[in-house]
Amino acid sequence: MTPSHPSLLEKPWRRHGASLVFLFVVALLFFAPIHFSGKSLIAGDTVNWRGMAQSMIEYEQETGDAALWAGRAFSGMPGYMISPELSVPQVDDLLRWLRSWLWPTSHMFLLLAGAYWLGWYLTRTSVAGLLTSVAYGFTTYIPVILMAGHNSKFIALAWLPWMLLAFVHVMRRPGLLAALLFAVSVAVNLRAGHVQITYYGVIGALVWWAFGMAGTLRTDGLRKALAVTGWLALGSLLGLAMVAEPYLAHAEFAAHTIRGTASGGAPGGMGWDYAMEWSQGVGELITLLIADAYGGGGGTYWGAKIWTAGPHYFGSIVLVLAFVAFLFHRTRDVTAFLTAALIMTLFALGENLALLNRPMYAWFPLFSSFRVPETWLSVVALFVAMAGGVGLAGIMSSRVEWDKPWRHPALRVAGGALALVLVLTVFSDVFFRFERPNESGVILSQIQSQYPQVTGSEPQVAQVINQEIAKRKEARMEAFSTDARRTLIVLALFAIALFLVLRKTIPPWAFALTAVLLATFDLTGVGRRYINEEVLTNSRDVEAAVATYPFDEWLNGQRQAQGGYGHFRVLSLEFGQDPSVNGRPSFHHESLGGYTGAKLRNYQDFLDHVLFTSGRRGINARALDMMNVRYLVAERGLPGWSLAFQDDATGMSVFESPSPGQRAWFVDSTRTEARPEAIWSTLQSPDFNPRTEAIVATDLSRLDGPAGTATATLASWVQGQEMSFGLATDRPRLLVVSEVYYPDGWTARLDGQPVPIVQVNGLLRGIEVPAGSHELTMQFEPASFTRGRWITALSVMLTYGLLLVLGFVAVRRRKP
């Protein structure tokens, strides 16, 4: 952005200021429907999150202490990944404060500013920084995840350019200051709460480091390479120490989740099929150039993924400039960027490139811990944007005279891109099917849901299916043609500006600004398809967006009448939804369901092998009794369950258990069994009564005996994180507490003395209780969280303290 004559923007700080103002205005205008329509951006995943987190929020309001257990979701689970406790303040807390009144522009500007400074640092050219910024910030994935409610992912992506900026600063100017800045950037990125994005960014940085070290060894020798690596290692260790709260507890928890011990998965990861869901299709990569080549999102999408909310679109200008950088301005950094982008794109293909991803999944650290491989492309966008910024700076700084501008390499690349899009447009029916895999079978299933007698062999049915597919293909072809024409126009305007600058008709800065404005117009135009008033809500905040139905109000009344939380649970099958992907009921009730990608392994086994029967078409009533479920929300009840409330407004009914039990009870006998499959089989058996018998892993037959007299009365239940019971038994017995067993952090005290908790029925907690009257208290006090808090506090004081000292010394040195 350097004009050839004196101007207001001649001084660097003025160019930076103007650039940042431009980026803020663009961000504000992009989110104008959110800020100026009176509506809010509250997505379905955000509502689900609030349902999951509500008990933790109430616990903190009631006690003033940190909430670490989500007591109402999935019958209770650690809340580290739902609402992580970040009690030690760091620099990102400023953005959290700003978020409360300027979301999502607050973090979009953070993202854009970070990408701008990263692009400028690489090229020392403000306009290249602008291109890097808009290319990364307005890639279509950003508005798509915002509309889906993936806020932590967006925040992690917003901090990612800052982490790479600190990383390259260490590479170029290794030292304590650079290492400390890198530590801060690592910490704030991880505190965003989406480790997957940080992990992907680190993979890209490792590729960059490998290229950088190869060059450093050639030019500066081993000593410089070791210095760079050492400072990076120090910054990494400090950054990790600064997030020991909450990640020590996270790591402890992860081993017990479906992501840590999945059947058939890699060690420490989830199963292959689950991990590879939403793999990017090979042909679908064309959406990087033509946004709606595969139909956009929702019902228009025709690719092989289960479904998608929108495509990954990088923009034609950015791709052209990145290619120009690779071919004609190939620095070591550019080679690293595009090598990293290529590798991560191959990872994004997931199961569609099993030859590469199977070995990575099996052997590479943490690779199997993340799912949705297409997410790699969100980080690829940043590396491509950096290469594009270098490409633009290279064209601007070129001093070679071209007597025939059309022969210039950059113009040839732009012309090649134009030709490619033109060929794809003209021969679209040759290159694309415009039909989903097995789409005819899906349509037939939809017909059969209304007309079960239809088999699909009838000519009339085949005709209906063919007509429907033809209609869909026509709409998809039109969407492709529209976006292809859009790409052609943008590329043509870019090529014209490039031709004019090569002919010296316009100055380089005018060409560069034209490229930035075209890229901004192109990317924001596509992105605004997903950010508009139609998809916003009228709710003022997330809490108001959580629906409350008449049956919720009735159930809330029953809870109050019975003494509050802790007396019964609810299984909600509302509107035919799968309870394991619905967090809304947990806002109001103690629910067997919820919404999280990190369920406890033992609870997932309970859902898969105990609660539901006949492929989830039936429900095991004994499992409901075991989980203290008193009410079932559904269209139809279970045998023996009585209708307690009819909700005419929703069509839902509430059914009551014929024998509602208590939260804790004594059993008369035990069975010893450690094999999960045998435990599931026993819990499914009609001969097993969870109120009189329990399954344990070690022999407790000494507690077996006649029925006699025994009572267990709930005394207090504070959002599932603290609870107490009054007990009385005429002989030693095993007490079963209908709370989810989790081995790390739960403490039990009988009359003030610590006692062990044993795992019962594969899912619940058990306590050995001697004869007599007793008081039992349970509390969630994970030592990992306490250790993590101390480590974080000390490392934050050290890191920020050293930064203050270095800043003070620098200021003193500048004084005359």
Side-chain angles (χ1 to χ4, degrees):
M1 225 169 134
T2 307
S4 57
H5 54 83
S7 73
L8 292 175
L9 300 181
E10 185 174 346
K11 293 186 177 181
W13 68 268
R14 289 179 177 173
R15 291 199 296 274
H16 295 322
S19 298
L20 294 174
V21 168
F22 168 78
L23 292 173
F24 180 78
V25 171
V26 172
L28 194 64
L29 292 176
F30 185 73
F31 293 119
I34 298 172
H35 296 303
F36 306 116
S37 68
K39 297 184 177 182
S40 301
L41 175 60
I42 302 175
D45 276 8
T46 306
V47 172
N48 275 314
W49 165 82
R50 184 54 189 256
M52 295 287 291
Q54 184 63 20
S55 66
M56 303 177 70
I57 295 171
E58 291 178 11
Y59 178 84
E60 293 186 350
Q61 292 172 345
E62 293 170 17
T63 67
D65 297 328
L68 305 175
W69 186 263
R72 303 210 298 257
F74 290 118
S75 303
M77 64 178 292
Y80 309 132
M81 296 184 183
I82 299 170
S83 184
E85 181 68 21
L86 301 173
S87 61
V88 181
Q90 298 187 39
V91 68
D92 57 319
D93 286 314
L94 175 62
L95 269 296
R96 287 194 179 89
W97 169 79
L98 193 61
R99 173 182 177 174
S100 63
W101 57 277
L102 198 59
W103 174 264
T105 296
S106 56
H107 284 73
M108 175 59 93
F109 181 65
L110 173 74
L111 180 153
L112 294 174
Y116 168 78
W117 286 116
L118 178 58
W120 176 84
Y121 192 92
L122 294 170
T123 64
R124 290 302 193 268
T125 307
S126 293
V127 74
L130 282 175
L131 183 88
T132 304
S133 181
V134 298
Y136 175 55
F138 296 106
T139 179
T140 311
Y141 192 68
I142 298 295
V144 166
I145 60 173
L146 279 171
M147 295 314 301
H150 298 173
N151 296 342
S152 61
K153 183 183 292 186
F154 170 60
I155 295 171
L157 288 169
W159 282 112
L160 186 57
W162 296 95
M163 188 177 81
L164 292 182
L165 177 60
F167 169 82
V168 69
H169 187 56
V170 178
M171 295 268 283
R172 294 187 176 182
R173 301 187 64 181
L176 179 59
L177 176 61
L180 293 173
L181 292 174
F182 183 58
V184 170
S185 70
V186 169
V188 295
N189 196 278
L190 284 167
R191 277 164 59 98
H194 207 287
V195 183
Q196 185 172 5
I197 295 300
T198 309
Y199 178 82
Y200 291 174
V202 168
I203 295 298
L206 284 173
V207 175
W208 194 354
W209 169 85
F211 278 90
M213 289 305 94
T216 300
L217 285 171
R218 287 196 301 269
T219 58
D220 300 306
L222 179 62
R223 187 172 182 177
K224 175 70 176 292
L226 290 175
V228 170
T229 304
W231 289 118
L232 284 173
L234 175 63
S236 300
L237 291 173
L238 279 174
L240 291 173
M242 291 164 71
V243 293
E245 179 203 54
Y247 280 99
L248 273 185
H250 276 208
E252 184 179 72
F253 170 55
H256 302 289
T257 70
I258 57 175
R259 292 175 179 252
T261 54
S263 300
M270 63 188 75
W272 167 263
D273 291 338
Y274 184 66
M276 292 297 116
E277 287 181 343
W278 279 278
S279 294
Q280 182 75 1
V282 177
E284 206 170 336
L285 290 173
I286 192 62
T287 63
L288 303 181
L289 180 64
I290 303 173
D292 278 3
Y294 272 70
T300 65
Y301 173 70
W302 59 271
K305 300 171 194 170
I306 301 171
W307 60 272
T308 187
H312 291 268
Y313 178 60
F314 289 1
S316 55
I317 291 177
V318 180
L319 291 172
V320 165
L321 288 172
F323 201 63
V324 168
F326 177 72
L327 292 179
F328 309 110
H329 304 282
R330 194 185 310 169
T331 63
R332 190 164 58 235
D333 285 341
V334 169
T335 305
F337 300 157
L338 295 180
T339 301
L342 175 61
I343 291 172
M344 290 189 286
T345 300
L346 297 179
F347 292 157
L349 299 178
E351 63 184 356
N352 298 313
L353 190 62
L355 183 65
L356 170 67
N357 289 307
R358 269 286 187 183
M360 291 292 296
Y361 167 86
W363 302 110
F364 199 82
L366 296 179
F367 194 91
S368 62
S369 298
F370 307 111
R371 61 191 298 259
V372 190
E374 69 167 348
T375 307
W376 283 99
L377 293 176
S378 64
V379 179
V380 172
L382 178 54
F383 282 84
V384 171
M386 289 190 290
V390 174
L392 181 63
I395 294 174
M396 291 180 65
S397 62
S398 176
R399 296 293 181 264
V400 179
E401 298 289 340
W402 290 83
D403 55 343
K404 296 180 179 179
W406 54 87
R407 292 185 178 179
H408 190 278
L411 202 55
R412 289 185 177 185
V413 172
L418 272 167
L420 173 62
V421 176
L422 186 61
V423 169
L424 292 176
T425 305
V426 174
F427 300 103
S428 60
D429 56 338
V430 175
F431 294 103
F432 304 101
R433 294 181 64 241
F434 296 106
E435 183 178 339
R436 294 206 69 172
N438 193 34
E439 190 160 21
S440 58
V442 173
I443 297 173
L444 175 60
S445 298
Q446 295 170 347
I447 296 174
Q448 289 175 332
S449 66
Q450 298 181 4
Y451 305 99
Q453 70 278 10
V454 172
T455 64
S457 58
E458 299 90 339
Q460 297 90 338
V461 175
Q463 183 179 6
V464 169
I465 293 174
N466 291 334
Q467 288 175 346
E468 176 62 23
I469 289 178
K471 184 173 69 172
R472 294 181 182 185
K473 290 177 69 172
E474 183 178 358
R476 292 161 181 167
M477 292 176 70
E478 178 59 30
F480 173 87
S481 298
T482 299
D483 266 4
R485 287 194 296 269
R486 175 194 183 90
T487 298
L488 285 170
I489 292 171
V490 170
L491 277 172
L493 292 174
F494 173 76
I496 291 171
L498 181 57
F499 179 78
L500 292 176
V501 74
L502 294 175
R503 288 196 61 186
K504 301 189 181 303
T505 304
I506 60 174
W509 65 265
F511 156 73
L513 280 180
T514 301
V516 169
L517 292 174
L518 280 172
T520 304
F521 170 81
D522 181 29
L523 290 166
T524 57
V526 174
R528 280 296 292 271
R529 298 173 185 175
Y530 307 94
I531 298 286
N532 53 68
E533 290 189 32
E534 295 178 4
V535 297
L536 303 180
T537 67
N538 293 315
S539 301
R540 292 170 298 174
D541 52 36
V542 180
E543 185 175 2
V546 180
T548 301
Y549 301 113
F551 62 78
D552 293 315
E553 296 173 346
W554 185 86
L555 287 167
N556 289 339
Q558 294 301 112
R559 182 185 70 245
Q560 294 171 5
Q562 295 178 39
Y565 288 112
H567 289 85
F568 65 81
R569 290 194 178 92
V570 175
L571 173 59
S572 183
L573 305 178
E574 56 194 54
F575 315 115
Q577 284 186 273
D578 182 346
S580 64
V581 291
N582 183 11
R584 191 208 68 85
S586 303
F587 183 90
H588 299 285
H589 322 296
E590 291 176 68
S591 172
L592 257 64
Y595 182 86
T596 180
K599 291 190 285 293
L600 286 168
R601 177 74 261 174
N602 58 357
Y603 200 85
Q604 184 67 62
D605 290 339
F606 167 75
L607 294 175
D608 292 340
H609 305 291
V610 180
L611 177 60
F612 295 105
T613 62
S614 304
R616 294 212 166 200
R617 292 191 297 272
I619 298 175
N620 181 358
R622 289 176 302 282
L624 297 181
D625 187 33
M626 186 178 82
M627 299 308 297
N628 190 210
V629 174
R630 182 162 188 162
Y631 297 104
L632 169 68
V633 179
E635 294 179 348
R636 295 186 300 274
L638 297 175
W641 288 56
S642 60
L643 178 63
F645 178 75
Q646 179 64 52
D647 187 347
D648 295 326
T650 63
M652 293 292 104
S653 301
V654 180
F655 300 92
E656 186 172 5
S657 169
S659 56
Q662 296 179 317
R663 187 53 57 92
W665 63 90
F666 287 100
V667 295
D668 302 326
S669 61
T670 61
R671 297 188 191 188
T672 305
E673 183 59 72
R675 295 172 301 144
E677 294 80 2
I679 295 174
W680 306 334
S681 177
T682 302
L683 294 175
Q684 286 277 14
S685 171
D687 298 328
F688 179 79
N689 183 352
R691 290 288 166 174
T692 61
E693 192 175 10
I695 309 169
V696 293
T698 56
D699 184 17
L700 294 178
S701 58
R702 64 183 181 278
L703 302 176
D704 295 353
T709 303
T711 59
T713 305
L714 179 69
S716 68
W717 194 90
V718 188
Q719 298 302 341
Q721 187 156 292
E722 303 171 16
M723 61 194 72
S724 62
F725 300 87
L727 310 176
T729 175
D730 59 353
R731 63 174 178 81
R733 297 175 185 271
L734 177 67
L735 176 75
V736 177
V737 182
S738 184
E739 296 286 347
V740 172
Y741 176 82
Y742 180 72
D744 298 317
W746 273 104
T747 61
R749 292 177 174 84
L750 195 64
D751 300 327
Q753 298 301 312
V755 291
I757 302 173
V758 299
Q759 189 170 6
V760 176
N761 298 343
L763 182 64
L764 304 181
R765 305 174 200 164
I767 304 290
E768 293 186 48
V769 180
S773 298
H774 308 279
E775 181 184 4
L776 172 69
T777 60
M778 288 184 172
Q779 191 166 9
F780 191 51
E781 300 173 318
S784 58
F785 176 78
T786 305
R787 288 196 302 269
R789 174 176 285 180
W790 276 106
I791 293 171
T792 293
L794 293 173
S795 57
V796 165
M797 287 190 291
L798 174 64
T799 302
Y800 284 86
L802 286 173
L803 281 172
L804 287 174
V805 170
L806 292 176
F808 177 77
V809 170
V811 170
R812 288 295 300 267
R813 284 178 175 175
R814 289 189 176 187
K815 286 187 176 182

